[in-house]
Amino acid sequence: NGHGIAPLPRDGFTFQLLSDKNQNHEQLLIHGGNNGSTTFNDFWLFSFETHSWKQLNIANMFERIPTSIPTMTTSKVYQ
């Protein structure tokens, strides 16, 4: 039941769950990955509210693969 164009199937990607507790809205951010023949350096955002994907145009800002997305919890960083 999703809407929009979805990212190509892949493995080895990095993901982060993003929550807006004030609006009770969660999104999933994914970056990179590989499908066996192509290494991806793209960013996608999935909205659990609308069940839709959106490609973010920020991939050329980052060159590092494999990657990680840190999670901020108070003053500590987890990677």
Side-chain angles (χ1 to χ4, degrees):
N1 291 337
H3 304 284
I5 298 171
L8 293 173
R10 63 192 68 198
D11 60 18
F13 57 88
T14 302
F15 68 95
Q16 180 68 46
L17 181 64
L18 308 173
S19 294
D20 183 344
K21 301 211 185 275
N22 294 329
Q23 296 180 10
N24 197 24
H25 181 74
E26 293 183 327
Q27 297 177 306
L28 182 69
L29 174 68
I30 69 166
H31 173 237
N34 188 294
N35 70 1
S37 61
T38 302
T39 299
F40 299 103
N41 190 28
D42 54 354
F43 288 83
W44 290 85
L45 196 61
F46 180 78
S47 169
F48 290 99
E49 182 179 27
T50 64
H51 298 155
S52 62
W53 286 100
K54 177 181 179 183
Q55 186 172 15
L56 305 178
N57 295 317
I58 58 175
N60 292 333
M61 294 173 57
F62 302 94
E63 297 295 327
R64 186 176 154 224
I65 293 178
T67 188
S68 62
I69 298 175
T71 302
M72 296 300 292
T73 304
T74 63
S75 60
K76 298 179 182 178
V77 176
Y78 301 95
Q79 198 169 8

